[in-house]
Amino acid sequence: MNLLNNQAYTLWFNWLADKIMEWKDAKPLNKDLRNCVKAMNEIGMFTNSLRTELEIITKRYNLMRSRKNTEIQDLKKQIETITIELKKYDMHYIDMPDETTYCRTCDKETDGDTYCSKNCYDYDLE
């Protein structure tokens, strides 16, 4: 409920309560007016409890959301620190050749192959 709705509700509820009290004072023995006053009391109390419950739920929701956001940020920081720590131990075993190898024909350095090119391979076969 926004501020305008709240003010309109309060205005009309108070006007109705005042009008019923005015009628009750004019006719104090009227049972229907007495019951109407009790009904207005109940309606007011119920509306008040709904508003209070809505405020509590809204505050809890906002609190949980802010906790979630801070937890996410903390976890992101932890991930960053862990990845930095892991980079210290970063080994490129797959990318590195086991040992330096050279072409059998022309003695160029190769990446673990016996020949550097198809030409050297063909030349060696002749």
Side-chain angles (χ1 to χ4, degrees):
M1 195 182 269
N2 62 24
L3 182 62
L4 187 61
N5 289 346
N6 189 20
Q7 287 176 341
Y9 167 78
T10 305
L11 174 74
W12 288 112
F13 186 82
N14 287 338
W15 179 85
L16 186 58
D18 289 342
K19 189 54 78 173
I20 290 173
M21 290 303 288
E22 182 183 314
W23 292 339
K24 183 181 172 279
D25 289 342
K27 297 183 179 182
L29 299 175
N30 192 339
K31 275 186 168 180
D32 289 336
L33 288 175
R34 274 189 281 166
N35 287 338
C36 195
V37 168
K38 288 179 184 177
M40 286 294 294
N41 252 347
E42 288 296 319
I43 291 170
M45 294 294 281
F46 182 73
T47 304
N48 229 4
S49 67
L50 286 177
R51 284 182 181 173
T52 305
E53 188 176 342
L54 178 64
E55 284 182 30
I56 289 171
I57 290 171
T58 304
K59 287 180 182 178
R60 282 185 182 168
Y61 173 77
N62 291 335
L63 179 65
M64 288 174 62
R65 189 171 184 170
S66 69
R67 283 182 182 169
K68 176 201 66 143
N69 290 339
T70 55
E71 189 69 27
I72 286 172
Q73 289 178 354
D74 290 343
L75 290 173
K76 282 182 180 179
K77 287 179 184 176
Q78 286 179 6
I79 288 171
E80 287 175 9
T81 56
I82 289 172
T83 52
I84 290 170
E85 280 292 316
L86 285 175
K87 283 186 181 182
K88 290 179 185 176
Y89 305 106
D90 198 13
M91 302 289 180
H92 299 286
Y93 292 118
I94 296 173
D95 299 335
M96 287 197 257
D98 292 335
E99 59 186 44
T100 306
T101 56
Y102 299 96
C103 178
R104 284 188 179 176
T105 308
C106 64
D107 288 331
K108 285 185 184 176
E109 192 174 320
T110 62
D111 294 329
D113 296 329
T114 308
Y115 300 101
C116 64
S117 67
K118 177 84 169 128
N119 290 339
C120 285
Y121 176 75
D122 291 340
Y123 182 76
D124 196 31
L125 287 179
E126 291 177 359

